[in-house]
Amino acid sequence: MQPASTRGIRRFLRGLLGGCALALASAAQAAPLVLAYTDGQVETSYSNLKAFYRNLSAVGLGSTYGLTVTGQLHQEGMNDTTRQIIAFAKSKSLPLYPTVSDYNQDIAAFDPAISHSIVNSKALSASTIKQLVTLARDNGFAGINLDFEQVEPRNAKAFSAYVKALGQALHAQGRKLIISVPPKLDDQQPEYLQGYDYRALAAAVDYFQLMTYDQVGPGWSSGGFHGEVWPGPGSGLDWQQALLAYAVTRVPAGKLLSGLAAYGQDYSIGNRVHWSAYEEIIAEHNAVTHLDAPSATPYATWGPVNSFTDGVEWTAERAQPVLWYDDAQSIRSKAALVGRLGLGGTSVWAMGYEDASFWSALQAGLAKAPALLPSGRE
C-alpha cells in the first residue's frame, strides 16, 4: 500500500489533469469554425484546398448542387474539380457540406419561384427533404448547406417551417444543417429580405452563415452605407458591424458565421477579381492606393473616379478607374469581429480566389478568439 501522502499527491494530480481536460474540451467547443467554400467551377479551388486545408474546420461544396422549381435535386455543376475536392476533403477527415441553392441556370440568377413552389407544397417539401437527407447520407457528407437567396416576404412562415422540418430530418440521421442567409439591418429593412425570419431559422439550424459581402458592386450600394453610391467597399467593417449587431439579437452568437470575401470589384471592367490578382492589377495601372476609414477597406485608383447612385447600371461608358479590395489589415479587422462578438466562426467565399497571405491574415484576426479547431473537427 502506498503512503497516504503519496496517494494524496496522486489524487491531486489526477484532479488537476481532469480539470485541464475539461478546460481544453470547453475551449475546443468554443473555438471558431472556419467554413471555406470551394468553387467547383474554378480549378484552383482544388489546388488551394490541398495547400491550405489546415486552416479549415469544414468545407462547403459551392457551385455544384441545386433544386428546381419542380423539386428535383440536381448536380449540374458537378465536374472533376468537385470530385477531387470531395475525395481530398474526405482523405483529411474534413466535414463536407454540399451547398444546395435556388440558382436557376436558365435565367442565370437565383430564382424566387423555386423556394415558392417547394415551401408551399407539402408533397414537394417532403420530397426535397428526403432527397437532401439521402444526398448527405449516401455520400458521407456532414450535412447540408441550404442556400436559398431569393425567398419572398410572403413565404417567410412557410420557409421557416420548411427549414425546421429539414433540420429535424437531418438531425435524426446524425447530420447538421447550415443555412446561408442574406444580411439585413433590422426586422423591416430591406423590405425584400423579409422572407428570412432570423429567429425562427436560427432555432432550426446548427450554423447560420450570414453572407456579409457584396455591400457595393457595379450597379448597387446596399444597406444604407457609403451614401447609397457605387463604386465602394465590397464588405465594409462598419457595415459588417451593423449587420452582425442586429443578427446577434436574433441568432445565438455561437451559431453565427460571419462571411468574408476573397474577391474585390474592378470597376474598370465591372466585374469581380480575385484576391490573388490584386497586386498585379495595381501594378498594371500604376495605381495609387488609399484607405477608406469608415469601412477599414483599401481601394486603388488610376484616374478620377465618378460615383453613381444605387441602381444605376454599370456600362462600359460608366467604367471607373478604381479597384475596391481587401488587404491583410482589413481581413484581420473583419475576422476579429468573431472574437469580439463571440460568434461561432467565419465563412469564406471562396477557395481558389485567394493565396497564403489571405489565410495568414484570417488566422491573425481570429487570434484573440479561442484556438482554431484542427481540421476535421467541429
Side-chain angles (χ1 to χ4, degrees), residues 263-341:
Y263 61 86
Q265 296 282 356
D266 181 344
Y267 289 86
S268 69
I269 60 173
N271 212 339
R272 290 181 177 181
V273 291
H274 295 169
W275 170 286
S276 56
Y278 298 158
E279 290 186 7
E280 180 181 345
I281 294 170
I282 292 169
E284 176 187 350
H285 294 290
N286 194 27
V288 178
T289 58
H290 315 265
L291 178 68
D292 181 63
S295 67
T297 302
Y299 62 102
T301 59
W302 49 95
V305 177
N306 296 316
S307 294
F308 299 91
T309 58
D310 179 34
V312 175
E313 182 183 0
W314 185 95
T315 63
E317 291 72 29
R318 298 188 184 112
Q320 298 300 308
V322 59
L323 166 70
W324 279 84
Y325 63 108
D326 275 298
D327 60 10
Q329 180 58 50
S330 65
I331 289 294
R332 286 195 297 269
S333 298
K334 294 162 191 176
L337 292 174
V338 172
R340 286 174 51 192
L341 298 174

